[in-house]
């Protein structure tokens, strides 16, 4: 059997598959995410490693005596996971949600650094990525960098502890310093960010198809035999695309999770150096395929916050949306609730959420629908940037926890005005990691043959009547809000205070 492990931001999941892609067993466990009032967001490497060991052990126990052909690991991207030569954290891993380097990004936006890096690598810089975090730590925690042997990501942190090897998949390394065509770091982008002194901490991208093996320490952690093959990557965004059975240029994937990730396959890399520096180009396991990705900070976390604010759980979503109509009774929302602002389809560390059009007669369901529509509008905006067209040109698959809600999936299909393919199994990361691992072992696996059964959500007949003008209003609202956020920041600067 093949065991796929997906180490998410708040949940670690393992799935066991047979050689034909049939799921044999599943297990999941929550990970701790430490969120502080000042915008810092961190994890504990030992807790994350423990969660992976736990779910691996449980699926092995559930399946029984089948031998494990390969352990395939994927997980969250971005953030900064500093480790020493033995793979232990030199400080708590910093999450991609972190905002401590927000001021660095704002300064780089003002002095042109963000545009210079984007013009070279096609990656927009945001507070939770390597460049500003390394810059921040060099000033505020140089001792953590001095003790480190590698500045990596979640997936390669696990790989180092399980195999003893320091690696990084090209998909993880894509943001923000990689020339994704050559699959080499761009030294001018590194220099532009002033982190040349940390260049030695960046592991060179591992060639596609690399297979490692559990060492004795990894065997003790997982309970699997020494020498069990291990693969690391791609990270969760491209892994989900592979798991969805997508690969043709124009195919798109919508991940409705903690991140609202909108990505489109392409067979060319065409960086618009004059465009707004947001999103990223990601390497995939195929050397002639890339993903143009717009992973927004909005997503299920925003809806979860609202439902918690209203005193209800996610199971109430369907009932709250019942009886509401497109347009939410005139209520509209900008769903930018992350403390670090937004990173796609624009980067603005000052972005904040708004709800407008509320009256004394507004219902809870209308507010919830407005937020659901606002997130869907953000997805449409992201796909416009990713595909440089008004619609995805190929097949569009949706996955992630948010896709499980039929009413919300319908809103996405209506706002995007395209059929939305929703797999019965919304967690495609482990499936994509398993397919990649089998191909690395030499198996002739077609990702489409491994795709989970699915249903198709068709857009409503008259969806455009409401959502076309609604989307135009949303775009105008975003433009106005960005001007307001900028003026607000100037006002705070003049008063000597900092908004939080």
């Amino acid at each position: 059997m093949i065991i796929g492990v997906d180490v998410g931001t708040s949940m670690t999941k393992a799935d066991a598959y047979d050689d034909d892609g049939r799921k044999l067993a599943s297990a999941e466990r929550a990970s701790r995410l430490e969120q502080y009032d000042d915008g810092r967001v961190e994890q504990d490497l030992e807790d994350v490693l423990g969660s992976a060991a736990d779910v691996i052990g449980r699926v092995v126990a559930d399946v029984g005596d089948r031998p494990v052909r390969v352990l395939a690991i994927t997980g969250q991207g971005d953030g900064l996971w500093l480790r020493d030569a033995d793979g232990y954290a030199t400080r708590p891993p910093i999450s991609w949600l972190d905002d401590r380097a927000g001021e660095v990004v704002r300064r780089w936006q003002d002095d042109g650094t963000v545009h210079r890096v984007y013009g070279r690598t096609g990656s927009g810089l945001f507070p939770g990525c390597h460049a500003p975090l390394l810059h921040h730590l060099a000033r505020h925690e140089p001792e953590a960098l001095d003790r480190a042997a590698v500045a990596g990501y979640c997936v390669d942190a696990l790989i180092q502890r399980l195999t003893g090897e320091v690696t990084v998949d090209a998909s993880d390394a894509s943001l923000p310093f990689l020339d994704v065509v050559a699959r080499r770091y761009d030294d001018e982008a590194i220099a532009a960010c002033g982190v040349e002194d940390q260049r030695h901490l960046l592991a060179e991208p591992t060639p596609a198809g690399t297979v490692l093996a559990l060492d004795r320490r990894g065997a003790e952690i997982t309970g699997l035999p020494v020498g069990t093959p291990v693969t690391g990557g791609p990270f969760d965004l491209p892994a989900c695309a592979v798991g969805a059975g997508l690969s043709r240029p124009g195919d798109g994937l919508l991940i409705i999770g903690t991140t609202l990730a909108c990505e489109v396959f392409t067979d060319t890399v065409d960086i618009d150096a004059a465009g707004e520096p947001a999103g990223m180009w990601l390497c995939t396991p195929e050397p002639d395929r890339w993903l143009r990705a717009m992973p927004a900070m909005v997503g299920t976390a925003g809806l979860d916050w609202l439902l918690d604010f209203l005193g209800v759980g996610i199971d109430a979503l369907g009932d709250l949306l019942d009886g509401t109509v497109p347009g939410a009774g005139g209520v509209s929302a900008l769903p930018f609730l992350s403390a670090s602002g937004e990173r796609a389809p624009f980067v603005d560390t000052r972005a904040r959420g708004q709800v407008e059009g509320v009256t004394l007669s507004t219902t809870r369901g209308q507010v919830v629908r407005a937020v659901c529509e606002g997130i869907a509008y953000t997805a449409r905006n992201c796909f416009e940037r990713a595909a440089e067209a008004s619609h995805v040109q190929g097949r569009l698959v949706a996955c992630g926890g948010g896709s499980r809600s039929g009413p919300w999936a319908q809103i996405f299909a209506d706002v995007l005005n395209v059929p939305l393919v929703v797999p019965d199994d919304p967690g495609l990361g482990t499936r994509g990691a398993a397919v990649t691992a089998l191909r690395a072992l030499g198996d002739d696996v077609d990702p489409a043959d491994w795709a989970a059964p699915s249903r198709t959500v068709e857009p409503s007949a008259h969806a455009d009547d409401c959502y076309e003008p609604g989307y135009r209003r949303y775009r105008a609202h975003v433009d106005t809000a960005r001007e307001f956020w900028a003026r607000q920041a100037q006002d705070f600067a003049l008063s000597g205070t900092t908004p939080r």
Side-chain angles (χ1 to χ4, degrees):
M1 66 177 171
I2 305 97
I3 298 180
V5 180
D6 186 354
V7 185
T9 304
S10 57
M11 185 72 68
T12 298
K13 181 179 181 182
D15 292 311
Y17 299 95
D18 66 15
D19 287 350
D20 296 318
R22 288 185 290 267
K23 188 176 290 187
L24 305 173
S26 295
E28 60 182 31
R29 191 179 106 172
S31 297
R32 293 200 308 270
L33 192 68
E34 301 291 345
Q35 303 191 60
Y36 301 95
D37 291 341
D38 60 1
R40 290 177 297 129
V41 185
E42 298 179 343
Q43 293 196 262
D44 182 327
L45 177 54
E46 301 311 309
D47 174 67
V48 171
L49 187 67
S51 71
D54 177 61
V55 295
I56 291 168
R58 284 158 56 195
V59 296
V60 169
D62 285 349
V63 173
D65 295 332
R66 291 192 186 220
V68 177
R69 287 191 63 197
V70 61
L71 179 62
I73 298 177
T74 184
Q76 60 184 291
D78 302 316
L80 184 63
W81 297 60
L82 289 176
R83 291 110 58 192
D84 64 19
D86 291 322
Y88 292 93
T90 63
R91 66 159 336 280
I94 302 175
S95 170
W96 58 273
L97 291 163
D98 194 271
D99 186 43
R100 77 190 68 201
E103 182 54 41
V104 175
V105 174
R106 288 188 285 273
R107 186 168 70 249
W108 285 352
Q109 287 174 323
D110 292 340
D111 68 17
T113 299
V114 168
H115 275 88
R116 286 195 295 276
V117 173
Y118 183 77
R120 299 199 63 84
T121 69
S123 288
L125 302 179
F126 66 98
C129 73
H130 265 48
L133 288 173
L134 287 171
H135 192 279
H136 175 89
L137 291 183
R139 179 177 179 183
H140 297 283
E141 294 184 42
E143 66 284 353
L145 294 172
D146 291 341
R147 294 195 305 271
V150 59
Y153 305 83
C154 175
V155 173
D156 52 87
L158 268 67
I159 291 294
Q160 185 179 3
R161 290 290 288 277
L162 297 180
T163 71
E165 301 287 343
V166 175
T167 68
V168 65
D169 188 78
S171 61
D172 260 321
S174 295
L175 179 72
F177 298 126
L178 202 68
D179 176 334
V180 295
V181 176
R183 299 197 177 208
R184 294 192 301 267
Y185 292 116
D186 186 297
D187 288 333
E188 290 191 33
I190 293 172
C193 297
V195 293
E196 302 99 316
D197 289 347
Q198 287 76 51
R199 170 67 176 83
H200 68 285
L201 298 178
L202 304 177
E204 295 300 323
T206 305
T210 296
V211 180
L212 305 171
L214 285 181
D215 62 12
R216 188 170 300 280
R217 181 174 63 173
E220 292 174 354
I221 291 170
T222 62
L224 299 176
V226 172
T228 299
V230 181
T231 57
F235 83 96
D236 56 5
L237 297 192
C240 285
V242 174
L246 303 174
S247 63
R248 295 179 303 173
D251 283 348
L253 182 70
L254 170 64
I255 304 177
I256 314 170
T258 306
T259 297
L260 181 76
C262 304
E263 47 192 36
V264 179
F265 270 101
T266 176
D267 57 2
T268 59
V269 174
D270 183 16
I271 298 170
D272 179 11
E276 180 154 11
M280 57 193 74
W281 293 84
L282 299 176
C283 293
T284 74
E286 301 299 319
D288 60 349
R289 290 288 187 275
W290 295 268
L291 283 165
R292 179 66 169 129
M294 289 283 165
M297 303 294 283
V298 306
T300 55
L303 182 60
D304 289 342
W305 172 86
L306 175 61
L307 294 176
D308 182 65
F309 188 77
L310 295 175
V312 298
I314 190 63
D315 56 342
L317 179 59
D319 290 340
L320 286 167
L321 292 177
D322 281 347
T324 64
V325 297
V331 182
S332 62
L334 297 184
F336 308 122
L337 298 181
S338 171
S340 58
E342 190 48 86
R343 63 174 175 173
F346 58 87
V347 176
D348 195 327
T349 62
R350 298 172 290 245
R352 294 295 181 264
Q354 299 178 21
V355 177
E356 292 193 349
V358 177
T359 70
L360 291 175
S361 62
T362 296
T363 67
R364 295 193 304 171
Q366 288 171 328
V367 175
V368 170
R369 186 180 188 98
V371 170
C372 288
E373 290 179 346
I375 295 172
Y377 286 140
T378 302
R380 177 165 171 173
N381 197 181
C382 285
F383 275 122
E384 286 184 354
R385 286 293 315 277
E388 299 301 335
S390 59
H391 299 291
V392 176
Q393 301 301 309
R395 191 163 168 260
L396 180 60
V397 175
C399 67
S403 67
R404 298 177 185 177
S405 167
W408 200 11
Q410 186 66 60
I411 290 173
F412 276 104
D414 290 346
V415 168
L416 296 171
N417 199 26
V418 295
L420 199 61
V421 178
V422 182
D424 295 342
D425 179 5
L428 301 180
T430 61
R431 191 175 294 271
V435 168
T436 303
L438 285 179
R439 299 178 91 175
L441 291 177
D443 290 20
D444 184 14
V445 180
D446 185 342
D449 294 339
W450 263 58
S454 62
R455 61 188 174 88
T456 299
V457 181
E458 297 287 346
S460 303
H462 302 290
D464 277 0
D465 293 349
C466 173
Y467 288 128
E468 280 297 327
Y471 179 61
R472 291 194 295 271
R473 288 193 297 271
Y474 164 84
R475 291 292 302 273
H477 192 179
V478 170
D479 291 343
T480 301
R482 293 185 68 182
E483 294 175 0
F484 169 75
W485 297 328
R487 290 197 304 271
Q488 185 183 54
Q490 292 174 351
D491 291 343
F492 276 112
L494 290 173
S495 66
T497 59
T498 302
R500 175 57 64 190

